[in-house]
Amino acid sequence: MSPFEFVRRAGTAFRTAGHIMAGMAATAAIAAPALAQAAATYVPAKPVEGKGQPISGAYTFQDQYSPIGQEALKMHDYVLIPVITAIVLLVLILLIVVVAKFNRRANPVASKTSHNTVIEVIWTLVPVLILVVIAVPSIRLLAHQYEPAPKGALTVKVTGYQWYWGYTYPDNGGFEVISNMLPPAEAIKRGEPPQLAADNRMVVPAGVPIRLQTTGSDVIHSFAVPSLWFKLDAVPGRINEKVLMVNKPGVYYGQCSELCGARHGYMPIVVEAVTKPQFDAWIKSQGGTVGGAAPAAAPAAAAAPAA
C-alpha cells in the first residue's frame, strides 16, 4: 500500500468514527430529558423480602438501614453478646466447680470460712468494670439517638389516630396523608406482607436527616420501625421529636407499639425511602410544593375511615 493510499484510508476511518460519535452524542442528548423525566417520576416501590420486614424463623434483630440502627446493632453484637456469653460461661464453670468440689462426699467436713477479702473485692470490682465497659458505648449511642436535627432538615409530623396514622409535611405545603391498613387479600395481591401493608405510605428522601415529630390526637400511640431502629411515642397535647435517617431507598415496615385500644394491632407503618427527584415528584402528586413555597391550591388528603 502506498503512503498516499494509507493516508486516504486513515482519513476515511477517522471521519467515520467522528460521525458515529456525533450520532451517539445526539442520541444521548435526545434521551437525556426522557431519562430525567423517568428519574423524577414517583412509582411506589415493591418491598424486598427480608429487607425492612420480619423474616420467618429469625431470632435476632432485623437488618438495620439507618446510622443509629447500625451503631446499635454493632453494640449488641460486639459488646453485649460477648459480655453476656462470658458471664454465663463463668457462672456455669463456677457452678460445676462448686457441685464437684463442695458436695458431702468430696468434702465431708464443711468449711467454716465466713469472709474472704480477696474474693469479695473481686466480685465487687469485676461487675463495676463490666458496667463501665458497657456504659461508654451505651451512653454514646443514647446521645446519638437524641441529637437534634440539623438546620434545614425536612420535617415530617406523624399523628396517631384511633386507629390509623396521618403524615403531615409542613415544609411542603402542609398537606396530610392518611394511612390505613390494607385488607390482607389486597396486601397479598400487591406483594406486601399482610397486616403490615398500608394504602398510603410515609414517603421520605433517602440519605438525608429528617426531623420526625410525633403526637397523638386521642390516646398515646407509638411510632416504631424496627429495621430503622426508630421508636417514638405519640402523646396527645405534646410534640416528641427525633431524627430519622434512612440509608438506602426501600420499603420499611413497622407498627404502633403502644396499646391504644381495640384496633391497636391494625395500625401498620410503612416508610418508603426514595431518591430526591422521586420525592419531589411524589410531593407534587400530593398537591404539595417543593422548596417550601406556598401551595397554589388547598392540597387534597386521603379520607379517613368512617368510625
Side-chain angles (χ1 to χ4, degrees):
M1 180 187 300
S2 67
F4 296 104
E5 182 65 16
F6 174 80
V7 172
R8 186 184 67 79
R9 293 188 179 185
T12 302
F14 279 123
R15 284 194 298 273
T16 303
H19 291 317
I20 293 173
M21 294 180 66
M24 292 173 63
T27 302
I30 294 172
L35 292 174
Q37 180 66 27
T41 300
Y42 168 76
V43 177
K46 296 290 185 182
V48 177
E49 186 176 356
K51 178 181 179 181
Q53 58 183 290
I55 301 174
S56 178
Y59 57 87
T60 184
F61 294 106
Q62 295 182 26
D63 292 340
Q64 295 300 307
Y65 295 91
S66 70
I68 292 296
Q70 291 174 343
E71 180 182 351
L73 191 60
K74 286 180 181 177
M75 178 182 169
H76 173 268
D77 291 347
Y78 302 124
V79 177
L80 296 181
I81 290 298
V83 169
I84 292 170
T85 303
I87 292 174
V88 169
L89 292 176
L90 175 62
V91 172
L92 176 62
I93 292 171
L94 291 176
L95 285 174
I96 292 173
V97 169
V98 168
V99 169
K101 187 176 180 180
F102 297 102
N103 59 71
R104 177 177 295 181
R105 181 172 33 189
N107 191 28
V109 180
S111 172
K112 302 296 184 180
T113 303
S114 60
H115 296 285
N116 187 307
T117 304
V118 174
I119 291 178
E120 290 182 2
V121 169
I122 290 174
W123 74 33
T124 301
L125 288 182
V126 170
V128 170
L129 293 176
I130 292 173
L131 290 176
V132 170
V133 169
I134 294 175
V136 173
S138 179
I139 293 173
R140 183 172 60 240
L141 174 63
L142 189 64
H144 289 170
Q145 289 187 80
Y146 289 95
E147 288 179 350
K151 185 177 181 180
L154 172 71
T155 300
V156 179
K157 180 183 175 183
V158 177
T159 304
Y161 301 95
Q162 287 184 312
W163 287 271
Y164 55 94
W165 295 99
Y167 307 124
T168 306
Y169 293 76
D171 296 339
N172 302 101
F175 67 90
E176 182 179 26
V177 174
I178 297 300
S179 179
N180 292 283
M181 189 184 80
L182 282 176
E186 180 65 20
I188 294 172
K189 182 179 178 181
R190 297 188 185 187
E192 299 191 59
Q195 290 195 281
L196 287 178
D199 55 357
N200 292 304
R201 300 169 174 175
M202 188 183 88
V203 180
V204 296
V208 298
I210 298 158
R211 180 185 294 105
L212 194 68
Q213 299 177 336
T214 60
T215 189
S217 69
D218 31 52
V219 298
I220 299 176
H221 302 273
S222 186
F223 186 86
V225 185
S227 61
L228 302 178
W229 204 274
F230 193 95
K231 185 177 185 294
L232 193 61
D233 283 352
V235 182
R238 65 174 295 172
I239 293 287
N240 288 331
E241 181 177 304
K242 202 160 71 164
V243 174
L244 170 69
M245 181 171 175
V246 188
N247 289 340
K248 299 178 180 179
V251 182
Y252 306 91
Y253 295 93
Q255 289 178 304
C256 177
S257 295
E258 186 72 44
L259 189 58
C260 59
R263 292 187 60 82
H264 158 70
Y266 303 94
M267 287 183 65
I269 299 164
V270 187
V271 177
E272 182 179 352
V274 297
T275 64
K276 186 60 168 65
Q278 290 174 323
F279 176 73
D280 292 344
W282 179 81
I283 289 292
K284 294 176 182 177
S285 72
Q286 298 295 317
T289 56
V290 177

